[in-house]
Amino acid sequence: MKVFVTGATGFLGRHLIKKLKSLGYSIYESNSKHCNLHDYDNLCTELHNVKFDYIFHLAAMTKAGDYCLYHKGEQWIDNQLLNTNALKFWANKQPQAKLIAMGTSCMYEPSENQLKEKSCMLGTPEEGLITYAHTKRMLLVGLQSLAHQYNLNYLYFIPSTLYGDNFDLNDNHFIFDLVKKIYNGKYNNSKVTLWGNGLQKRELIYVEDAIDIILKLKDKNNKIINLGTGQDNTIQDFARCISNNLNFDPEEIFYDITKYTGAKRKILCINNLLSLIGKNYKFTSIEEGISNIIEYYKKSCK
């Protein structure tokens, strides 16, 4: 089984490749040095003799925090280029392959209610993330358009926030940022300052669970699937869980309400997902997942 993975050096890419290797897949990777998605001709030249069974399109240009507020132009140009070249390569050179792509929960219009797949293209995404959100919407339109015209097959997953070990120590997605800040508060006497009042809610899915589900469903065709747990917690809840693990007093955490916090709540409706994988699917608990990333971070700091 031959597989092409874009964004191979990213968080999800690293975990996916490790899993695919354990299953005996023949893997080809795209990154900034090899099969660069910024250069379509180079991509075609390096892979001209290979026929893939699956293409996992994970590459995306984004960062956590307030990056999306100040780099809208860069995000639009870069992500549109990455997506266009990946889709063009699929349609022109690899029509036999199933393309499995990743969306983002921020493509949804903000809502206090669970977010359903049928509404992922409706309304206006959260203002601070609007550019990145629309590049993911355009990716879905591209998948649907090419599949319709050329009779191709795809899957489009919309994940909640992925987390797990083996994360980049410079990755500031909120759960990694919380671990690093509270760890430094515990062991380096640093002041722990978190953005917002801590009441904003977020949903996490452990990266190994996400990969397990993606591979279980890889042979479904032309579907949009929310990839989450259907459970969310406040930032304060996550902070308390981390603090308890590290024996740190959560009362010492300062919440800076002047900072950017994003949507008040983002939680995915997973009724569609559970109909495909079974209602009794056992997700990794928040406590276990957070314990794993703390242990990873501790080892990385030694």
Side-chain angles (χ1 to χ4, degrees):
M1 194 79 71
K2 289 186 173 63
V3 172
F4 180 46
V5 181
T6 76
T9 58
F11 177 66
L12 178 56
R14 294 195 302 274
H15 283 271
L16 176 63
I17 286 172
K18 180 180 178 181
K19 180 64 176 181
L20 292 176
K21 285 182 177 178
S22 74
L23 296 173
Y25 284 66
S26 180
I27 302 166
Y28 295 73
E29 302 177 18
S30 170
N31 51 50
S32 59
K33 296 181 180 179
H34 179 68
C35 300
N36 192 338
L37 278 184
H38 290 96
D39 186 344
Y40 180 74
D41 290 337
N42 170 263
L43 187 66
C44 294
T45 298
E46 292 201 29
L47 299 173
H48 74 283
N49 285 326
V50 187
K51 293 298 181 184
F52 295 110
D53 297 286
Y54 298 93
I55 297 172
F56 290 89
H57 179 40
L58 314 180
M61 178 56 185
T62 192
K63 295 180 183 179
D66 58 2
Y67 177 87
C68 294
L69 286 173
Y70 302 108
H71 298 84
K72 293 184 177 182
E74 293 172 57
Q75 279 207 308
W76 182 260
I77 291 173
D78 212 27
N79 282 305
Q80 290 293 79
L81 181 60
L82 295 174
N83 292 338
T84 296
N85 283 339
L87 294 181
K88 185 178 179 181
F89 177 67
W90 174 46
N92 290 352
K93 305 295 183 180
Q94 303 287 334
Q96 77 290 334
K98 164 79 68 62
L99 196 150
I100 299 175
M102 304 301 290
T104 173
S105 61
C106 71
M107 65 194 289
Y108 283 104
E109 183 174 47
S111 173
E112 291 292 310
N113 300 317
Q114 289 191 329
L115 304 169
K116 298 181 180 180
E117 289 95 338
K118 65 182 181 181
S119 64
C120 70
M121 301 290 279
L122 303 178
T124 303
E126 199 267 316
E127 175 60 31
L129 301 168
I130 194 166
T131 300
Y132 181 59
H134 276 301
T135 64
K136 289 297 190 178
R137 285 184 171 188
M138 289 295 289
L139 172 59
L140 177 55
V141 171
L143 287 166
Q144 293 171 328
S145 300
L146 292 172
H148 179 267
Q149 182 169 350
Y150 301 113
N151 194 31
L152 306 177
N153 292 313
Y154 70 88
L155 271 179
Y156 189 75
F157 288 98
I158 304 178
S160 57
T161 299
L162 298 164
Y163 78 117
D165 62 7
N166 194 25
F167 62 91
D168 188 325
L169 298 186
N170 294 316
D171 189 335
N172 289 323
H173 278 85
F174 85 89
I175 191 64
F176 302 138
D177 193 50
L178 292 183
V179 167
K180 289 184 284 186
K181 285 181 176 179
I182 296 172
Y183 177 92
N184 285 325
K186 170 67 176 180
Y187 294 106
N188 299 318
N189 295 316
S190 299
K191 181 179 180 180
V192 181
T193 300
L194 304 183
W195 289 12
N197 60 13
L199 298 179
Q200 61 272 35
K201 289 187 171 184
R202 295 293 182 266
E203 176 185 11
L204 296 176
I205 182 168
Y206 199 65
V207 66
E208 303 295 344
D209 295 345
I211 290 170
D212 179 60
I213 292 169
I214 289 169
L215 295 181
K216 283 181 185 299
L217 301 181
K218 70 182 187 306
D219 293 322
K220 302 294 182 182
N221 289 330
N222 303 343
K223 292 183 179 294
I224 304 169
I225 303 172
N226 280 341
L227 185 56
T229 63
Q231 301 290 326
D232 61 356
N233 299 88
T234 67
I235 297 300
Q236 289 188 13
D237 290 335
F238 292 121
R240 280 193 291 269
C241 183
I242 296 166
S243 297
N244 290 339
N245 185 287
L246 292 171
N247 196 27
F248 179 80
D249 184 0
E251 296 301 318
E252 294 186 24
I253 298 173
F254 173 70
Y255 290 90
D256 187 347
I257 61 174
T258 68
K259 296 296 187 180
Y260 173 76
T261 58
K264 291 182 179 179
R265 189 188 193 203
K266 282 195 295 186
I267 182 170
L268 301 176
C269 176
I270 63 166
N271 290 344
N272 181 34
L273 176 66
L274 294 179
S275 73
L276 296 170
I277 63 172
K279 293 183 179 180
N280 295 322
Y281 186 87
K282 184 174 176 56
F283 293 98
T284 299
S285 70
I286 290 298
E287 292 77 14
E288 181 182 350
I290 284 178
S291 177
N292 289 344
I293 62 175
I294 289 173
E295 289 306 308
Y296 172 76
Y297 189 64
K298 283 181 176 179
K299 292 176 182 177
S300 299
C301 290
K302 292 181 179 179

